[in-house]
Amino acid sequence: MSDVGIYVHVPFCLTRCGYCDFNAYAGLDHLAPRYVRALLAEAGLAAPAWSEDEVVSIFFGGGTPTTLDVADLKGVLTHVRDRFVVRDDAEISIEANPDTVDIAKLEGLLAAGFDRLSMGAQSFDRGVLEALERVHSPDSVRRAFVAARAAGYENVNLDLIYGADGEGLDSWERTLEQAIDLSPEHISAYALTIEPATVLGRKVQTGVVPAPDPDLQADMFSAACDLLRDAGYHHYEVSNWAKPGYECRHNLGYWERRGYIGLGAGAHSFRDDRRWWNLRPPEEYMGRVEEGALPLGGDEHLEPSDAYLEEVFLRLRILQGIPSSWVDADRVLPFLESGLLQEDDGSLVPTERGMLLLNELVLALAGN
């Protein structure tokens, strides 16, 4: 049996942040009961094609899954366990906005089987949160984290974003230090990217808000590498750090090109170099499932050259590296000399400086 993951998408949010390009919606909470029924139905439709695979991770993301009631989340998780072959020790993650959880809800989620909690902290600087249009405060993150510990959570991730308008290196370092002080098992730190179709993207295009400074973001990345390393976190993927043994099994599945099943509006699936995705609008997604059909919105088959390029990119991204034999020595030498790559037991692995230029490295190493 092949190891696979399941991703369950919940598209509902309290508000839609200006930088967000995910398939998420505010003001659609009235659709939640119908949407939950659609998730249950889709799981039943999808499961037969994966009967020979073993699920090692399940990830509820969004959106904000914790806008749903615990009973609904537990019902979906139980249904997924019943329909798929799920390993007893599977990692079960759920994303949460700090303002959508309290100790009672967290106790309920843990009892339901969600043993890994991923909270969108983004920053501990109130001004940065306002620039990102986040509705929670730094104190909300601290309260939610304390509540998670009190509820019994022993595997918590904090998501952080750096490079928002008005954020300086000092502010970012304070955010990192405050995150470290909470001592989560896992920290994700992402450089803010501007997506043209978002509210923030339009503000940048019209000059209302400046685009992130790439040089400052590079310094912020270096600060994260230094501070998190000194605090005992292992840098196992470009944007992810974990205490030993707490690497996110589900996300590693994406980066290692294992198969995965996507349930919910806009969710993606992958197997054997084929990638497909569900209809994005929740109403269209639910309507298709209610007709008894899988809600396919599109698909693509990777050509061998594209699959190879993706393999190289993902191996470098998780610092696994690629065998030195895959690349001509003459092509590699400049990157070794410039300190962007290093050789490790017959593999070429990016340095932390090299991670900042990962796309360029991949094209130089694997491109024609």
Side-chain angles (χ1 to χ4, degrees):
M1 302 181 78
S2 298
D3 290 350
V4 300
I6 294 178
Y7 173 76
V8 180
H9 187 71
V10 178
F12 311 119
C13 274
L14 297 177
T15 61
R16 185 171 175 84
C17 302
Y19 64 90
C20 178
D21 194 39
F22 296 132
N23 191 35
Y25 306 84
L28 294 185
D29 292 356
H30 62 284
L31 294 178
R34 183 182 169 200
Y35 188 83
V36 168
R37 292 193 297 271
L39 286 175
L40 301 178
E42 188 194 1
L45 292 168
W50 300 84
S51 61
E52 299 300 319
D53 300 287
E54 188 174 40
V55 176
V56 299
S57 65
I58 302 173
F59 194 108
F60 279 55
T64 308
T66 47
T67 56
L68 296 180
D69 293 336
V70 171
D72 286 332
L73 293 165
K74 179 181 179 179
V76 174
L77 179 58
T78 300
H79 190 77
V80 167
R81 284 186 175 277
D82 289 343
R83 294 299 181 274
F84 295 87
V85 181
V86 180
R87 214 162 73 183
D88 289 342
D89 66 345
E91 173 193 88
I92 314 293
S93 302
I94 189 166
E95 291 182 334
N97 178 304
D99 284 339
T100 62
V101 292
D102 56 22
I103 187 168
K105 188 159 194 172
L106 290 165
E107 286 175 341
L109 290 171
L110 188 60
F114 295 94
D115 57 10
R116 183 177 184 273
L117 181 68
S118 181
M119 282 202 295
Q122 316 313 354
S123 177
F124 286 91
D125 184 311
R126 190 177 296 274
V128 173
L129 290 174
E130 291 174 358
L132 292 171
E133 299 182 8
R134 299 291 295 186
V135 295
H136 69 265
S137 69
D139 287 341
S140 298
V141 179
R142 297 186 188 95
R143 283 196 298 270
F145 189 91
V146 170
R149 289 295 196 224
Y153 270 96
E154 298 178 352
N155 192 353
V156 181
N157 168 63
L158 293 181
D159 274 346
L160 305 175
I161 292 179
Y162 58 91
D165 181 33
E167 182 175 37
L169 185 58
D170 289 347
S171 167
W172 171 237
E173 289 178 342
R174 287 194 297 273
T175 280
L176 287 167
E177 288 163 355
Q178 291 179 69
I180 290 167
D181 285 346
L182 291 175
S183 194
E185 284 68 33
H186 191 285
I187 293 177
S188 300
Y190 301 102
L192 177 64
T193 57
I194 305 300
E195 301 295 342
T198 63
V199 172
L200 181 57
R202 290 189 287 273
K203 288 182 178 179
V204 170
Q205 289 170 357
T206 57
V208 175
V209 173
D213 180 342
D215 292 331
L216 176 57
Q217 284 189 315
D219 290 340
M220 290 174 165
F221 175 77
S222 296
C225 293
D226 292 342
L227 288 171
L228 291 169
R229 182 194 312 112
D230 291 347
Y233 290 87
H234 168 52
H235 194 182
Y236 73 99
E237 191 272 341
V238 171
S239 302
N240 288 274
W241 290 259
K243 293 182 179 179
Y246 287 95
E247 295 81 2
C248 180
R249 188 188 308 170
H250 185 81
N251 286 341
L252 279 170
Y254 296 142
W255 303 321
E256 293 172 355
R257 301 187 81 240
R258 299 200 300 265
Y260 53 86
I261 308 136
L263 304 175
H268 285 229
S269 303
F270 174 79
R271 182 165 60 186
D272 298 332
D273 288 338
R274 176 179 176 248
R275 187 173 287 113
W276 63 99
W277 50 90
N278 288 346
L279 293 163
R280 283 176 63 90
E283 290 272 12
E284 292 184 24
Y285 160 79
M286 292 185 294
R288 184 70 60 85
V289 175
E290 289 163 355
E291 293 170 356
L294 286 170
L296 184 66
D299 72 333
E300 64 179 356
H301 292 264
L302 296 181
E303 296 295 328
S305 59
D306 293 329
Y308 173 69
L309 200 65
E310 186 174 279
E311 176 86 5
V312 171
F313 174 77
L314 293 173
R315 279 172 169 262
L316 293 178
R317 178 171 174 160
I318 59 173
L319 314 184
Q320 178 182 4
I322 59 173
S324 302
S325 59
W326 284 15
V327 188
D328 291 338
D330 291 342
R331 184 179 286 195
V332 172
L333 187 59
F335 300 104
L336 292 172
E337 292 178 341
S338 62
L340 299 178
L341 282 176
Q342 59 188 358
E343 286 196 89
D344 182 12
D345 196 24
S347 293
L348 299 170
V349 181
T351 63
E352 289 180 337
R353 282 185 56 226
M355 293 176 207
L356 292 168
L357 300 169
L358 194 57
N359 290 337
E360 292 84 346
L361 272 178
V362 172
L363 293 175
L365 296 174
N368 295 325

